[in-house]
Amino acid sequence: MAKVYLAVGTVTGTATAVAQALAARLEECGHSAIVDTTPGVEALNDSAADAVLICTSTTGRGNLPANIAPFYMQLEQQCPLQNGRPFGVISLGDSSYDSTFCAAGGLLQERFLELQGTEPVPRVTIDATETVTPDDDALFWLNEWIEKAL
Ligand SMILES: Cc1cc2nc3c(=O)[nH]c(=O)nc-3n(C[C@H](O)[C@H](O)[C@H](O)COP(=O)(O)O)c2cc1C
């Protein structure tokens, strides 16, 4: 059984609902999940998680939602090395924003790679113009991530 720290970035709650679906699936598979809607490096460290998931939307023009922006800055300032710990990123966005499509998820992906996390399954992008069931799309991706990361 693995413990997963699940950091959520959201403005209007879609990513929270997706994260809750991911946590429920992890628990069905015998793992435990900590869903954190005010994520931070201290909470991540305290969790002693075996793996990390980031489920975030993008706001503004490619910006991080306000609730996850401090986490991003802490990762930059404190540089908590991941020593190969597996992570995965679920990016919610809207392709009509073109060049900033799912950019926030991309920022966190880059940060975790710089911190020497391993990404066994590439970041998934979930496009609000293409799906009305983002949780189903995320769960499909999660199956492979569970197999490879945990
Ligand atoms: C004001 C605003 C700005 C947005 N900017 C972007 C953007 O730059 N890139 C993108 O991919 N999606 C953008 N989106 C789309 C959201 O990321 C998308 O609708 C997402 O599903 C919202 O999830 P949430 O409810 O968890 O915040 C924007 C949405 C709003 C309302």
Side-chain angles (χ1 to χ4, degrees):
M1 184 192 117
K3 189 194 279 185
V4 179
Y5 180 80
L6 214 166
V8 180
T10 187
V11 178
T12 54
T14 315
T16 310
V18 170
Q20 281 163 352
L22 295 170
R25 173 64 56 84
L26 284 163
E27 280 161 16
E28 276 166 26
C29 295
H31 304 296
S32 65
I34 301 164
V35 176
D36 197 343
T37 53
T38 53
V41 165
E42 196 179 340
L44 171 61
N45 291 342
D46 288 351
S47 73
D50 302 295
V52 180
L53 282 174
I54 296 123
C55 180
T56 187
S57 67
T58 296
T59 191
R61 289 194 164 265
N63 299 335
L64 293 151
N67 73 302
I68 202 168
F71 183 44
Y72 182 76
M73 286 183 275
Q74 289 164 14
L75 289 168
E76 193 165 60
Q77 288 159 0
Q78 300 177 29
C79 293
L81 285 182
Q82 298 298 297
N83 299 319
R85 178 161 59 183
F87 75 96
V89 181
I90 301 103
S91 295
L92 279 70
D94 180 325
S95 58
S96 60
Y97 286 88
D98 265 339
S99 64
T100 62
F101 176 55
C102 285
L107 288 171
L108 281 151
Q109 176 191 26
E110 276 172 30
R111 182 64 68 230
F112 271 84
L113 284 171
E114 280 168 14
L115 293 170
Q116 296 165 19
T118 50
E119 192 181 29
V121 182
R123 174 169 68 98
V124 63
T125 56
I126 299 180
D127 185 352
T129 69
E130 280 190 353
T131 182
V132 289
T133 54
D135 43 354
D136 286 349
D137 297 17
L139 288 171
F140 183 77
W141 176 92
L142 183 70
N143 287 335
E144 189 185 349
W145 188 82
I146 288 175
E147 234 171 70
K148 295 192 173 160
L150 302 184

